[in-house]
Amino acid sequence: MEQLSLPTEVLTDYPSKSLGKLYLDWIPQPGNYLEIEGKAYKVLERKHRYQLKLGQYRLCSMVIQVQVTNMPSETSLVNGCWVIGDARCKYNAHSELMRCAVNPLGTCKDCQFWEMAE
């Protein structure tokens, strides 16, 4: 029988401490956001732990390193992935980590460089 959720240990980046183990039914990618006890965290790194069973290695748990952050107010869905900012803008980076090249920290709605992508 296949596991539906993996035990995942959550470690903060700085100061380095464990937030405990969670059972996730999805595999977090770097750049994804996670909410634990009302605080938002960005996933920085993911490590897999495998176990040898019956001659095969199977994924048995994960360790993710996270950083406290604020959830971005603007997100867009592009090819099944959530990206920061308005993906219709030609300067949008289409990234989970960075909004755009000309205004990486600002909001898209107030940006003077916002331009519709062709």
Side-chain angles (χ1 to χ4, degrees):
M1 186 153 118
E2 192 173 320
Q3 271 183 299
L4 296 177
S5 61
L6 287 172
T8 304
E9 186 174 0
V10 182
L11 303 173
T12 59
D13 182 39
Y14 184 82
S16 184
K17 70 175 189 175
S18 176
L19 297 177
K21 285 192 179 180
L22 302 174
Y23 285 85
L24 301 176
D25 58 355
W26 58 287
I27 297 179
Q29 300 291 328
N32 288 148
Y33 292 90
L34 185 67
E35 190 175 318
I36 302 172
E37 297 178 359
K39 283 189 177 179
Y41 297 92
K42 181 185 276 190
V43 177
L44 301 176
E45 187 177 351
R46 179 187 75 214
K47 295 178 183 175
H48 297 152
R49 292 185 177 159
Y50 293 91
Q51 185 176 30
L52 182 63
K53 270 190 176 177
L54 302 172
Q56 292 184 331
Y57 283 101
R58 294 178 187 245
L59 180 61
C60 66
S61 68
M62 290 185 290
V63 176
I64 57 174
Q65 193 164 6
V66 298
Q67 179 180 33
V68 177
T69 189
N70 294 323
M71 293 289 268
S73 59
E74 298 173 309
T75 56
S76 302
L77 188 61
V78 177
N79 297 327
C81 295
W82 287 100
V83 299
I84 300 173
D86 187 350
R88 298 173 299 162
C89 178
K90 85 179 212 180
Y91 298 111
N92 187 279
H94 293 267
S95 167
E96 299 170 327
L97 303 173
M98 187 172 88
R99 182 183 311 273
C100 74
V102 295
N103 189 17
L105 300 176
T107 61
C108 295
K109 69 176 186 168
D110 299 329
C111 182
Q112 64 184 4
F113 301 105
W114 193 94
E115 203 174 309
M116 182 66 88
E118 294 175 13

